[in-house]
Amino acid sequence: MKTIILTTMVCLLFANLASGMHHCSSRDTLFGNESNNLDSLDKMYKPNYKTMIIPSLCIGYGILSLTNPRIKEINSSTRFEIGEHSLSHINFDNYTQFVPGALVYGLNAIGIKGIHGFRDRNLILATTLLISTAIVTPTKHLVSEERPDGSNNLSFPSGHTATAFATAHFMFREYRAHNLWLSLLGYPFAIFTGTYRTFNDKHWVGDVVAGAGIGILSTELAYWSFPKLSELFSSKREKNPLVLPYYQSNKLGVACILKF
């Protein structure tokens, strides 16, 4: 199971490196609604190309896994080791991909506020999922990589993993200024989701790593575009519901944002 452990360590590295992107103190109180170390809005929404390093490396690794013989061997050997140990297939990964996002709303509901209010938080999350879907879905059809279980040719990249890391990074972005450790709680669910996509024989390792990169990238792009989108849906338009369609795993959905 060496390659499985290696994959998990890579995923953990995402969270550790992500923690380096903050400029706040981890000594902030858990229930602090106002933080002295709250990122300025200009810094929060201003593109920081250093944050592109991790998703670029992940996506690059995933692309190489499609063509590079040595990296493709990691895909095959990992699947072989999983099969040797006869790990049980569970479907929790269908739900854990959404847990980090749900945690953000749950924490806000019990009074542990993040950076943004309800409307802005909805807009950012909806934009994140829309961007992720816009990248993942066409790529699946263009690459046409067969899944390990042979069920179809939509293996690359992993949509579940992209959603999981997108929502985990969304949680990190919302809470990092208040409490660093709280902001990292979403990443274990993302790691679990990605790992079990390989355990369930639905994805190769390269699919999962690329999906993680796409998820993080989507969240960063959503925060960068938020000021313009906020202006777009403000004033007269803010009274109208915002409806954003998304598509994942052969399922069509709609995200709706209402002004209360």
Side-chain angles (χ1 to χ4, degrees):
M1 298 293 290
K2 291 182 180 180
T3 52
I4 293 294
I5 296 174
L6 176 60
T7 304
T8 304
M9 290 177 65
V10 170
C11 292
L12 286 170
L13 180 61
F14 299 159
N16 291 332
L17 290 176
S19 68
M21 292 186 289
H22 76 96
H23 299 281
C24 63
S25 169
S26 61
R27 294 175 294 178
D28 295 319
T29 59
L30 180 62
F31 295 94
N33 291 329
E34 296 294 335
S35 172
N36 293 329
N37 297 307
L38 187 63
D39 289 351
S40 68
L41 293 182
D42 288 341
K43 180 181 291 186
M44 179 182 300
Y45 304 130
K46 184 178 180 180
N48 179 357
Y49 297 102
K50 291 182 180 179
T51 62
M52 293 295 97
I53 296 175
I54 294 173
S56 296
L57 289 175
C58 293
I59 296 172
Y61 177 91
I63 293 173
L64 287 175
S65 73
L66 297 172
T67 57
N68 186 284
R70 292 186 179 181
I71 298 181
K72 286 177 70 71
E73 178 59 28
I74 295 178
N75 288 340
S76 301
S77 62
T78 300
R79 183 171 184 254
F80 177 77
E81 290 183 17
I82 292 173
E84 269 195 329
H85 290 79
S86 301
L87 297 174
S88 300
H89 290 193
I90 60 174
N91 295 321
F92 291 160
D93 49 329
N94 290 329
Y95 309 102
T96 53
Q97 60 180 320
F98 302 112
V99 169
L103 283 174
V104 172
Y105 285 87
L107 289 170
N108 276 272
I110 63 175
I112 306 176
K113 304 297 182 182
I115 293 174
H116 293 93
F118 183 75
R119 173 190 174 276
D120 293 344
R121 189 165 66 246
N122 287 348
L123 180 57
I124 292 171
L125 182 57
T127 304
T128 296
L129 295 177
L130 184 62
I131 293 173
S132 178
T133 301
I135 297 174
V136 169
T137 302
T139 303
K140 281 179 175 290
H141 290 277
L142 288 172
V143 174
S144 192
E145 176 76 358
E146 186 177 15
R147 293 185 187 273
D149 64 0
S151 57
N152 58 46
N153 293 325
L154 301 175
S155 188
F156 183 90
S158 169
H160 283 66
T161 307
T163 299
F165 273 88
T167 56
H169 201 57
F170 168 67
M171 184 175 188
F172 170 74
R173 280 287 223 143
E174 285 298 301
Y175 283 99
R176 66 179 181 177
H178 291 297
N179 187 284
L180 173 61
W181 299 111
L182 181 64
S183 72
L184 296 175
L185 284 181
Y187 287 111
F189 292 98
I191 294 169
F192 176 91
T193 301
T195 302
Y196 262 86
R197 293 309 285 167
T198 62
F199 285 176
N200 289 336
D201 210 23
K202 290 297 182 181
H203 285 288
W204 307 101
V205 173
D207 305 337
V208 169
V209 175
I214 292 172
I216 295 173
L217 173 64
S218 300
T219 305
E220 287 295 321
L221 293 177
Y223 276 89
W224 292 355
S225 62
F226 171 73
K228 293 296 182 182
L229 289 174
S230 183
E231 291 178 8
L232 181 63
F233 295 104
S234 62
S235 64
K236 294 182 180 180
R237 302 183 185 185
E238 68 181 0
K239 297 180 181 180
N240 298 322
L242 171 63
V243 179
L244 296 174
Y246 68 90
Y247 178 86
Q248 178 180 301
S249 301
N250 296 322
K251 296 179 181 178
L252 181 65
V254 175
C256 182
I257 301 175
L258 299 176
K259 173 70 175 180
F260 292 97

